[in-house]
Amino acid sequence: MLKKISFVTIIFLISVILIIPVFAAVYTDFDSYTSFTAGGNPVFNIGEAVDDYWIGEWDGGTVLEASRAAIETGKGWNGTAALAVWEEVEKANQGLYLFLTPTNKIAKDYTGTKYLRVWMDLTDVAFRKANFGVTDSNYNLFTTDEENSTVENWPFYYLPEGGTEWQTYYHGGDGCFGDAQDSDVYGFKGFFASRFRIL
């Protein structure tokens, strides 16, 4: 699970940008949100109505009462807003989904996009296992966790804050990164990128 606990809560900050070529398609920057409301999770609970986000059990549609998420100003890339995610008490495996809605006006067309790029501050946080993913318009989930093939086939990339060179790391045999996948990211702060093919 997570290595360091600070003030009973564990927080990591995320700025989500879906991008390639650079600044070709931005999913969200959190400064643009006019609302941040929890809703349903049709990925696991067919027919539930979505809102801006859902947080709960990573491999099911159960809400975890200890899970929390909030937009934090000035904590993201280059002083932008970021998403803080933490647990109040338990250390359960949790998933976070961000959804496109007419209210948050997140763009819907990512045709030709090759990478999911996410800025994260893991200065005091590490994972046993974690992964990123996307859903299609029918809420079918696609993540690296679904692919357990040869590690060399599943790189992810890291650009440290202030750096100019992307570094290559590899998802482990369970399609994730983190302590249990021989790719410890404790202390990392910068952009992470994983390749996706969006048709």
Side-chain angles (χ1 to χ4, degrees), residues 151 154-158 167-171 182-185 188:
V151 171
W154 292 100
F156 69 94
Y157 308 97
Y158 171 62
Q167 301 169 10
T168 303
Y169 294 87
Y170 293 93
H171 292 90
D182 296 322
S183 53
D184 186 2
V185 294
F188 284 26

Side-chain angles (χ1 to χ4, degrees), residues 68-94:
R68 300 287 185 270
I71 295 175
E72 297 284 341
T73 58
K75 300 288 187 177
W77 170 74
N78 208 19
T80 59
L83 180 62
V85 180
W86 71 97
E87 293 177 308
E88 292 288 349
V89 181
E90 62 189 283
K91 294 182 190 176
N93 293 326
Q94 63 181 332

Side-chain angles (χ1 to χ4, degrees), residues 126-198:
F127 297 100
R128 183 180 61 83
K129 290 183 184 178
N131 67 84
F132 295 111
V134 297
T135 70
D136 64 14
S137 58
N138 295 314
Y139 303 109
N140 296 305
L141 182 62
F142 301 92
T143 73
T144 55
D145 188 47
E146 308 304 316
E147 181 55 56
N148 300 323
S149 64
T150 308
V151 171
E152 291 76 22
N153 293 336
W154 292 100
F156 69 94
Y157 308 97
Y158 171 62
L159 179 65
E161 186 175 57
T164 57
E165 299 287 328
W166 286 91
Q167 301 169 10
T168 303
Y169 294 87
Y170 293 93
H171 292 90
D174 195 30
C176 297
F177 61 93
D179 295 349
Q181 296 286 279
D182 296 322
S183 53
D184 186 2
V185 294
Y186 179 80
F188 284 26
K189 183 178 182 180
F191 280 104
F192 291 73
S194 187
R195 188 173 176 93
F196 286 89
R197 185 174 181 205
I198 301 174

Side-chain angles (χ1 to χ4, degrees), residues 53-119:
Y53 76 98
W54 179 90
I55 189 169
E57 181 185 13
W58 78 275
D59 61 348
T62 304
V63 172
L64 300 173
E65 292 303 320
S67 297
R68 300 287 185 270
I71 295 175
E72 297 284 341
T73 58
K75 300 288 187 177
W77 170 74
N78 208 19
T80 59
L83 180 62
V85 180
W86 71 97
E87 293 177 308
E88 292 288 349
V89 181
E90 62 189 283
K91 294 182 190 176
N93 293 326
Q94 63 181 332
L96 173 75
Y97 296 79
L98 302 175
F99 293 107
L100 316 174
T101 72
T103 304
N104 62 35
K105 298 179 181 174
I106 295 171
K108 294 182 179 180
D109 186 3
Y110 300 99
T111 305
T113 301
K114 297 179 182 177
Y115 292 85
L116 174 67
R117 190 169 94 169
V118 179
W119 185 91

Side-chain angles (χ1 to χ4, degrees), residues 12-86:
F12 67 93
L13 300 168
I14 306 173
S15 292
V16 179
I17 298 177
L18 182 61
I19 195 164
I20 279 295
V22 174
F23 300 114
V26 175
Y27 175 76
T28 189
D29 58 13
F30 294 116
D31 283 314
S32 300
Y33 271 69
T34 57
S35 65
F36 194 62
T37 306
N41 182 353
V43 173
F44 289 102
N45 301 322
I46 296 171
E48 281 192 352
V50 301
D51 214 313
D52 297 314
Y53 76 98
W54 179 90
I55 189 169
E57 181 185 13
W58 78 275
D59 61 348
T62 304
V63 172
L64 300 173
E65 292 303 320
S67 297
R68 300 287 185 270
I71 295 175
E72 297 284 341
T73 58
K75 300 288 187 177
W77 170 74
N78 208 19
T80 59
L83 180 62
V85 180
W86 71 97

